[in-house]
Amino acid sequence: MTSLSGKRLLLGLTGGIAAYKAAALARLFVKAGIDVRVVMTEAACRFITPVTMQALSGQPVYTDLWDARVRDNMAHIELSRDRDLILVAPASADFMAKLANGEANDLLSTLCLARRIPLAVAPAMNVEMWENAATVRNVARLREDGIILMGPAAGDQACGETGMGRMLEPEELFEAVAALLGPRLLKGKKVLVTAGPTYEPIDTVRGITNQSSGKMGYAVAQAAIEAGAEVTLVSGPTALATPAGAVRMDVRSAREMHDAVMARAKASDIFIAVAAVADYHVVGEKSHKIKRGTGNLFIELAPNPDILATVAALKKPPFCVGFAAETENLRANAQAKRKHKKIPLLAANLAQEAFGRDDNALTLFDDKGQHELKRAAKIAIARQLIAHIAGMLKKR
Ligand code: CTP
C-alpha cells in the first residue's frame, strides 16, 4: 500500500516520440497502486500501440469517440467521471493548441473539455515548436485556465536538436502526480514565500542586484500549493511564470520586500525566505541618470533590514524557514546563521552549485541535526523540503 493506492488517473497520450516514455510512466503509476485508464489519440497510436498500454495499465485502452463499450456511447463524458486527475503525457504542440482553444474533435480533447477534475499536461516537442510565438501564447492561456504544466525540460531532443521541449522523465512526472494526488500535508495553512533577487537602485537606470533566478523560491511556492497551502509569493524581479494558485506580489528592493512581507507575516503559519535579499541599499539614490565624470565615483551603502530575522523576532512568529547560499564552510556558516536568526529550520546550499540552475542539492539544519536532500530538480527538492516542514509542524 502506498498513499496513492486507489487513486484514479486518466492518462492521455498524444502524438510524439516521447510517447514511448508513457509506457514506463504507466508502469510506475500501476506499481504505486494507481488505477490507470489510458486514452490515446490517433497520432499517439502511430508511436506506441494501444496493446502495449493495455498490457501495462491492465485495462482496456480507449481511442475512439464513438466507442460502444462505454455506456450510451458517452465515452467523452463517462471516462473521466470516476477519475481524480487527467494527465496528458506527452502533450504535443497541436494538442496544447486544441486545449487552449477549447477544441473537441477527438476522444481525448473532448474528455478534457468535459472534465470536472484537474488537468495536467507534460509538453513534448521540438525546441522551435516550443518557442514559437503561437505555442508561447497557448501555454500562457493554459496556465490562465488553471491547467497544470509539468515541464518541459531542456536537453537533447529526438530530432537531434538541443533545447527546451523535452518531456520530463517518467520518474519526474510520477513525482509531480504523486504531489497532486498524495496527502495534503499543508492543507489550510497560509504560507508566505520570498523568491528571486532584489534590485537596489543607484539611479533611474542602474542598480545593484544578484544572480538569483527565483527558480528555487518559485518551486517552493509550487510545492506548498500542491500540499494544499494558501500561498503568497513575494517576488523580486524574475522572468518566471507565477505558479497556478499562488497570490504573487512583485517587489524590487529589499525594503519593498520587507514591507510586503511584514504586512502578511502575522497572518501566516509558515514563512519561507528563499529570496537572495541584498544586504545593503544605496544611500541617496539619484532621481536622474548619473552622467559620466572624470574622477572616481563612490557609492555609499547602508544596511537593509533582515526580513527573516525580523519575522522570526515577532511575538508569535510563523514557522520560519531560511535559506543560506554559502560559497564555503557550508555547515559551520549554516548552523551559525540558523542560531543567529533564531529560526527552527535552515536550508543551505552552495551558491555556485545552485544559482540559475534547474536542479539543486540542499542540506537541512534543524534541532535534530542535519538532513541531506540529494541533487534533484528544484521542484523535487522543494517537495521534500515541504514534507520536512510538515513533519516538524506535526511534532510541535
Ligand atoms: N534574508 C532576509 N533579509 C535579508 C537578508 C537575508 O530575509 N536582508 C534571508 C534570506 O532570504 C535567506 C536568509 O536570510 O533565507 C539567509 O540569507 P543570506 O544572505 O545568506 O544571509 P545573511 O544573513 O545576509 O548573511 P551573509 O550574506 O553574510 O552570508
Side-chain angles (χ1 to χ4, degrees):
M1 283 284 279
T2 72
S3 63
L4 300 172
S5 296
K7 293 289 178 189
R8 295 169 188 184
L9 179 73
L10 193 145
L11 176 62
L13 276 66
T14 70
I17 187 65
Y20 80 91
K21 290 189 193 173
L25 182 59
R27 265 198 97 174
L28 289 175
F29 288 140
V30 169
K31 243 174 121 182
I34 298 178
D35 176 299
V36 182
R37 177 177 294 152
V38 177
V39 174
M40 297 170 68
T41 64
E42 199 187 328
C45 298
R46 303 228 170 201
F47 289 91
I48 182 169
T49 71
V51 176
T52 305
M53 294 309 292
Q54 175 160 349
L56 292 172
S57 68
Q59 297 191 34
V61 169
Y62 298 88
T63 56
D64 182 8
L65 192 53
W66 311 109
D67 198 315
R69 286 173 297 177
V70 184
R71 186 178 68 85
D72 299 335
N73 269 350
M74 287 288 172
H76 65 296
I77 311 256
E78 287 293 312
L79 291 179
S80 79
R81 283 295 177 260
D82 65 346
R83 303 286 103 182
D84 299 304
L85 174 75
I86 301 178
L87 167 66
V88 180
S92 65
D94 174 63
F95 192 75
M96 287 167 59
K98 269 190 191 176
L99 279 181
N101 287 300
E103 284 178 28
N105 57 3
D106 63 8
L107 178 58
L108 189 56
S109 54
T110 316
L111 270 165
C112 289
L113 200 63
R115 78 185 190 280
R116 292 187 187 135
I117 48 174
L119 168 61
V121 295
M125 65 195 74
N126 163 270
V127 54
E128 301 298 344
M129 292 169 93
W130 175 252
E131 288 174 0
N132 187 289
T135 307
V136 171
R137 227 171 19 240
N138 291 334
V139 168
R141 268 212 184 156
L142 297 185
R143 286 192 206 279
E144 273 168 31
D145 292 347
I147 293 170
I148 303 154
L149 268 104
M150 297 180 170
D156 291 340
Q157 304 200 307
C159 52
E161 296 180 7
T162 306
M164 272 306 251
R166 212 166 53 82
M167 188 169 89
L168 294 187
E169 293 304 324
E171 293 74 18
E172 292 172 311
L173 286 174
F174 174 81
E175 275 183 26
V177 167
L180 287 176
L181 295 181
R184 293 267 178 269
L185 293 173
L186 295 183
K187 193 171 184 250
K189 299 276 184 221
K190 290 195 171 64
V191 176
L192 183 61
V193 181
T194 63
T198 58
Y199 177 91
E200 304 298 330
I202 297 171
D203 66 12
T204 42
V205 294
R206 304 179 180 95
I208 300 173
T209 185
N210 61 62
Q211 290 190 36
S212 165
S213 63
K215 286 178 184 169
M216 192 66 226
Y218 278 58
V220 167
Q222 163 89 43
I225 290 169
E226 290 171 357
E230 264 176 56
V231 174
T232 302
L233 177 60
V234 179
S235 175
T238 73
L240 303 173
T242 311
V247 174
R248 169 162 159 188
M249 303 179 59
D250 285 319
V251 296
R252 231 163 56 125
S253 68
R255 285 170 297 167
E256 282 172 29
M257 186 174 274
H258 170 270
D259 293 350
V261 165
M262 294 320 291
R264 276 152 199 84
K266 282 188 192 144
S268 303
D269 302 298
I270 301 168
F271 174 50
I272 312 177
V274 196
V277 186
D279 289 327
Y280 296 90
H281 66 269
V282 176
V283 177
E285 170 200 344
K286 297 285 182 287
S287 56
H288 58 270
K289 185 173 165 229
I290 300 171
K291 285 292 184 196
R292 180 210 290 260
T294 46
N296 292 352
L297 182 68
F298 296 92
I299 295 173
E300 186 184 348
L301 299 174
N304 277 329
D306 187 325
I307 305 170
L308 177 58
T310 313
V311 173
L314 286 173
K315 225 177 181 177
K316 277 193 187 160
F319 182 87
C320 286
V321 183
F323 265 70
E326 306 293 344
T327 50
E328 66 238 322
N329 298 333
L330 184 78
R331 272 170 199 82
N333 284 338
Q335 279 294 24
K337 207 166 273 183
R338 189 175 83 87
K339 298 223 164 83
H340 171 70
K341 301 208 186 201
K342 298 195 173 65
I343 53 172
L345 180 62
L346 186 115
N349 54 32
L350 285 170
Q352 58 272 34
E353 291 179 9
F355 272 48
R357 295 176 58 140
D358 289 322
D359 60 2
N360 200 2
L362 283 182
T363 309
L364 306 184
F365 294 88
D366 59 19
D367 281 340
K368 295 260 150 54
Q370 104 188 37
H371 317 263
E372 303 292 338
L373 304 186
K374 273 203 230 116
R375 181 162 292 281
K378 282 184 172 168
I379 183 64
I381 292 284
R383 288 185 189 123
Q384 293 176 58
L385 173 68
I386 292 294
H388 192 87
I389 294 170
M392 285 181 76
L393 278 175
K394 220 170 153 190
K395 287 193 198 119
R396 287 199 142 195

